[in-house]
């Protein structure tokens, strides 16, 4: 002990999640609410928590969508997940969606407080045993992204514009209208795009840029004043 | 863990420029029955020779091992770290750590650490784990998770800010808190919060610190002063 007391308790909102009551020291952690997924965004707005603790249910897809929605609605409260499978792939998906990580399943009040304090400082939280697998997945993801970026760089400005519009769901007609060229020209561009990305359909081309997170780079290439 | 005791001695190669460090490491490892230093090198060229000669189980590598025969330590890392488990000794420079991890390093011990730290790290890495000082792992994960946007992308993001948002961001970069910013711009702290939330969304970052870092890293401060530029 001997440390100076914290300025104020960490305000925590629980969303379909649990922190076992005996583990919580009210001077350190204040539960400001407990709600279902449907009420989460509104509760964040009215209770102003520092941290939202989310339970994990189903295959996690709904949880990840909720994380993204919470982050988009108000970037200030941090989001952590509790009760999920402790594997690197699930952790990575949660982190990519904007969560800060996992709360330990069990632990003393002091450990929990330390993790939550670190999270309010913007630090990631996850079990130490996952560091290796997580860094490995991140490095592998980065390499794939680099490969994808190299392919995107081969696109001409026009091809990048076509791809950006494809990614927004536009068809040949719409793209032709937007770029003021004939639908036939658009098809030619699309074929070049597919060849350069190494994919075989428009759907795959769109999936490619989302999977590698390079949509912004495609948009930048479409706007860049350089070569065509 | 038990079974490992029965396994044959692990062969270690050390690449470090300081004889003092190599000697200390050799003495320390002499007490470990399962670990044995089979080769040492004081520069990158000699290290590559040693690696070609003995195919070790583990490499202990100084992050700033001097150039040898025109070969730099980074070249050795890229060429070899995927094929041999490596513990790097270096300072806490994040870029250096990221470079080594990307090349395939499995452990990092800071130069300020002790021989005991190094031994713990060696054991963990031989056991198949990744071993980083806590301080570094806290920084490494966010950096790998959110690759810094190219300057061009950052510039495009900043251009989307309104003049008022630029003023707020400019004050954030100058290390002011919400209260000071509110006073400075003569608006309520709640409005400042709203501006900051919009700024974070437009810059696609998750914290004020990340927003400031983005501006500074891409050298975009002058763009913020240009309030008239926004649509």
């Amino acid at each position: 002990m001997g440390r100076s007391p914290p300025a104020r308790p960490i305000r925590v909102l629980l969303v379909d999640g649990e922190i076992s009551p005996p583990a919580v020291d009210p001077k350190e952690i204040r539960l400001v609410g407990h709600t279902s997924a449907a009420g989460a965004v509104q509760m964040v707005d009215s209770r102003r928590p520092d941290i939202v603790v989310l339970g994990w249910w189903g295959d996690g897809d709904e949880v990840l969508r909720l994380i993204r929605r919470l982050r988009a609605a108000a970037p200030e409260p941090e989001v952590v997940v509790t009760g999920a499978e402790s594997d690197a792939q699930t952790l990575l998906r949660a982190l990519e969606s904007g969560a800060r990580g996992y709360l330990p399943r069990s632990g003393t009040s002091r450990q929990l407080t330390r993790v939550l304090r670190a999270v309010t400082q913007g630090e990631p939280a996850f079990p130490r045993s996952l560091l290796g697998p997580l860094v490995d997945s991140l490095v592998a993801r980065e390499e794939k992204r680099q490969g994808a970026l190299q392919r995107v760089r081969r696109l001409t400005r026009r091809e990048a514009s076509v791809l950006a519009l494809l990614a927004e769901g536009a068809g040949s007609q719409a793209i032709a209208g937007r770029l003021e060229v004939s639908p036939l020209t658009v098809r030619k561009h699309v074929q070049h795009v597919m060849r350069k990305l190494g994919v075989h359909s428009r759907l795959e081309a769109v999936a490619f840029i989302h999977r590698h997170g390079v949509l912004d780079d495609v948009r930048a290439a479409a706007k860049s004043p350089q070569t065509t | 863990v038990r079974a490992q005791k029965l396994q044959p001695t692990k062969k270690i190669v050390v690449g470090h420029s300081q004889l003092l460090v190599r000697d200390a490491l050799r003495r320390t490892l002499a007490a470990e029955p399962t670990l044995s230093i089979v080769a040492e090198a004081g520069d990158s060229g000699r290290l590559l020779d040693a690696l070609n000669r003995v195919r070790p189980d583990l490499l202990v590598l100084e992050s700033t091992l001097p150039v040898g025969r025109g070969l730099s330590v980074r070249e050795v890392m890229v060429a070899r770290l995927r094929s041999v488990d490596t513990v790097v000794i270096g300072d806490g420079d994040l870029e250096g750590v990221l470079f080594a991890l990307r090349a395939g390093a499995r452990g990092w011990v800071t130069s300020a650490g002790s021989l005991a730290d190094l031994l713990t790290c060696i054991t963990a890495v031989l056991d198949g784990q990744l071993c980083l000082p806590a301080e570094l792992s806290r920084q490494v994960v966010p950096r790998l998770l959110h690759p810094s946007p190219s300057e061009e992308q950052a510039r495009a993001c900043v251009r989307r800010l309104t003049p008022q948002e630029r003023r707020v961001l400019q004050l954030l970069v100058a290390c002011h808190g919400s209260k000071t910013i509110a006073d400075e711009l003569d608006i309520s702290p709640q409005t400042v919060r709203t501006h900051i939330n919009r700024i974070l969304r437009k810059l696609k970052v998750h914290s004020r610190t990340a927003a400031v870092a983005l501006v500074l890293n891409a050298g975009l401060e002058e763009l913020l002063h240009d309030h008239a530029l926004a649509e």
Side-chain angles (χ1 to χ4, degrees), chain B residues 17-38:
Chain B
S17 60
Q18 293 173 31
L19 186 59
L20 192 73
V21 172
R22 300 207 301 266
D23 276 349
L25 194 53
R26 191 165 349 97
R27 275 160 198 262
T28 309
L29 293 190
E32 302 291 323
T34 58
L35 304 176
S36 160
I37 294 178
V38 292

Side-chain angles (χ1 to χ4, degrees), chain A residues 48 71-73 75-76 92 95 123-124 126 128 131-132 134-136 138 141-143 216-217 220, chain B residues 82 101-102 106 130 132 137-138 140-142 144-145 147 152-153 190 193 197 200-201 204 206-208:
Chain A
R48 303 237 171 261
R71 299 299 297 173
E76 288 197 335
L92 182 56
L95 293 175
E123 285 178 16
F126 51 84
R128 207 155 165 68
L131 177 65
L134 179 64
V135 168
D136 290 345
L138 285 169
R141 187 187 74 158
E142 200 179 62
E143 276 167 8
D216 282 343
D217 302 273
Chain B
R82 292 255 174 237
L101 286 175
R102 286 176 178 131
R106 306 302 298 168
L130 185 78
L132 298 176
S137 58
R138 274 199 291 275
V140 160
V141 171
L144 287 174
L145 196 60
E152 203 175 302
Q153 281 178 27
Q190 180 53 44
R193 271 179 53 111
N197 284 347
L200 297 187
R201 214 172 307 164
K204 297 181 184 133
H206 292 318
S207 70
R208 296 171 184 215

Side-chain angles (χ1 to χ4, degrees), chain B residues 27-93:
Chain B
R27 275 160 198 262
T28 309
L29 293 190
E32 302 291 323
T34 58
L35 304 176
S36 160
I37 294 178
V38 292
E40 292 176 13
D43 69 56
S44 303
R46 280 171 221 261
L47 176 64
L48 195 64
D49 291 342
L51 289 174
N52 287 336
R53 211 169 53 239
V54 297
R55 310 223 152 260
D57 299 296
L58 187 101
L59 167 64
V60 176
L61 177 63
E62 181 187 13
S63 69
T64 52
L65 190 68
V67 172
R69 281 195 283 102
L71 200 65
S72 74
V73 66
R74 291 205 157 189
E75 286 168 315
V76 174
M77 285 185 180
V78 170
R80 285 316 174 90
L81 264 48
R82 292 255 174 237
S83 51
V84 56
D85 284 344
T86 302
V87 172
V88 181
I89 305 175
D91 58 20
D93 151 49

Side-chain angles (χ1 to χ4, degrees), chain B residues 100-167:
Chain B
L101 286 175
R102 286 176 178 131
R106 306 302 298 168
W108 187 281
V109 176
T110 58
S111 319
S114 65
L115 277 167
D117 292 339
L118 180 57
L119 198 59
T120 309
C121 190
I122 287 174
T123 314
V125 168
L126 282 173
D127 198 33
Q129 297 167 32
L130 185 78
C131 180
L132 298 176
E135 180 54 37
L136 280 175
S137 58
R138 274 199 291 275
Q139 299 173 43
V140 160
V141 171
R143 265 301 296 276
L144 287 174
L145 196 60
H146 308 291
S148 46
S150 67
E151 194 189 314
E152 203 175 302
Q153 281 178 27
R155 200 170 276 274
C157 288
V158 169
R159 279 183 204 284
R160 274 185 229 128
L161 302 178
T162 66
Q164 186 75 330
E165 285 162 0
R166 285 170 199 231
R167 284 182 204 107

